Amino acid sequence: MRRLEGIFPPVATPFDASGAVACDAFRANLRTLMARGLHGVVVAGSNGEAPLLDEAERTCLVRCAREVVPADRWLIAGIGGESTRQTIARAKAAAEHGADVMLVASPHYFGPQMTPAALLAHFTAVAEESPKPIVLYTIPKYVHFAIPAEVVAALAGHPNVAGVKDSSGDEAQRAGYLGALAGRGVFLTGAAHQLADAMAEGAAGGIVAVSQFATALTLRLYERARAGDVEGARAAQAELSPIAREIVGGMAVPGLKVAMDLTGLVGGPPRPPLLPLDDAGRARVRELLAPLGVLVG
């Protein structure tokens, strides 16, 4: 398998006036993102409002994405579920409709019971049954715990475990994962404000939502980091970090969708119970993006 590396946006899911997935707008967004030079996409991720999608919608998003994402770029599908059975079923459905890699968040409803042994058993079962490689996904902001490094170490090197995505933003956690992988899998950061440092330490890139509306800047950071241009990467990071922290980190999906609307993509409203940004929030997003020269209209 070719190396999983690059910048991948966890793409937003647009909805139409009736609240259904707007498939045409979704395809149009992906065509634009591919034309801007991104290395692939993640569908049904956290920023794609995955917990608010039903199974048919998840499958539809993968199928629609495969129609647009070229074969030489990565289509990564979020498949994390609360049961091992559900997660495996999602992996098989996503693979059937063209996904290359599965992004697997931890089950978390029964949080206290998600011991290292339980997580290891879960991820091992998914890896064994998934038709495509899996990436372990740790996101304490929503799951409320991190995948232990010992679990990553136990799974590193498994022929169907490609690596780890870490959205914790915790430097010690990142170091622990990189050490646990020990070159036996890729590390992708989900913390855009740490992309330069993560790549300097060995990350293969990032799954970062900011790349949907600050694509050129994110790719510039990636290319400079990849070339070993530390100062250039840090300069790009200084521009990227404030918008990543405030729009994606602070405003979450509603902020991301406004940023997309302002930069030539279709964001639209989030799905309830999420609420759209108010006028002040929209104005703040515009203010943050103005210096980048990415606003449309």
Side-chain angles (χ1 to χ4, degrees):
M1 188 181 76
R2 69 190 191 274
R3 180 173 165 81
L4 180 62
E5 58 185 352
I7 298 297
F8 311 99
V11 291
T13 303
F15 301 106
D16 63 23
S18 73
V21 172
C23 297
D24 289 345
F26 180 70
R27 290 189 193 93
N29 284 348
L30 266 59
R31 289 190 187 96
T32 299
L33 293 172
M34 292 298 93
R36 290 176 181 177
L38 290 159
H39 302 96
V41 299
V42 176
V43 301
S46 300
N47 284 285
E49 299 175 71
L52 311 182
L53 301 173
D54 63 33
E55 300 303 318
E57 289 172 330
R58 286 171 173 268
T59 299
C60 177
L61 290 173
V62 174
R63 185 175 63 250
C64 290
R66 189 77 277 173
E67 294 171 5
V68 175
V69 177
D72 63 348
R73 301 199 216 178
W74 295 97
L75 173 52
I76 305 169
I79 63 162
E82 283 302 312
S83 75
T84 305
R85 177 189 176 94
Q86 180 187 53
T87 306
I88 291 170
R90 287 177 176 175
K92 291 179 177 179
E96 181 182 352
H97 290 89
D100 299 308
V101 175
M102 310 301 165
L103 184 65
V104 192
S106 302
H108 55 276
Y109 187 89
F110 294 108
Q113 281 68 51
M114 290 301 98
T115 62
L119 291 171
L120 179 58
H122 172 74
F123 288 122
T124 299
V126 176
E128 294 292 338
E129 294 290 334
S130 174
K132 297 290 184 176
I134 71 170
V135 170
L136 312 181
Y137 178 22
T138 193
I139 182 164
K141 179 178 180 180
Y142 297 133
V143 175
H144 309 301
F145 62 83
I147 300 171
E150 65 194 85
V151 173
V152 173
L155 289 163
H158 186 291
N160 214 32
V161 176
V164 174
K165 177 198 175 185
D166 173 26
S167 292
S168 70
D170 184 307
E171 294 179 8
Q173 187 80 53
R174 181 174 75 231
Y177 288 153
L178 285 164
L181 288 167
R184 297 174 295 164
V186 299
F187 177 89
L188 297 166
T189 185
H193 65 285
Q194 296 178 344
L195 180 57
D197 286 344
M199 290 192 65
E201 294 172 11
I207 297 175
V208 288
V210 70
S211 64
Q212 286 176 90
F213 56 85
T215 310
L217 176 57
T218 310
L219 288 173
R220 184 165 80 244
L221 193 166
Y222 170 77
E223 293 296 345
R224 289 179 178 178
R226 194 163 178 249
D229 178 3
V230 176
E231 292 306 314
R234 286 178 177 168
Q237 186 73 78
E239 291 185 72
L240 189 69
S241 291
I243 61 173
R245 279 197 174 103
E246 190 165 346
I247 296 176
V248 178
M251 302 178 188
V253 170
L256 166 63
K257 287 193 155 183
V258 168
M260 293 174 67
D261 287 334
L262 294 174
T263 56
L265 298 168
V266 179
R271 178 169 273 180
L274 296 179
L275 296 175
L277 289 189
D278 59 17
D279 289 344
R282 295 182 66 87
R284 179 57 179 160
V285 173
R286 180 179 288 276
E287 179 184 9
L288 287 164
L289 294 180
L292 300 184
V294 294
L295 296 174
V296 175

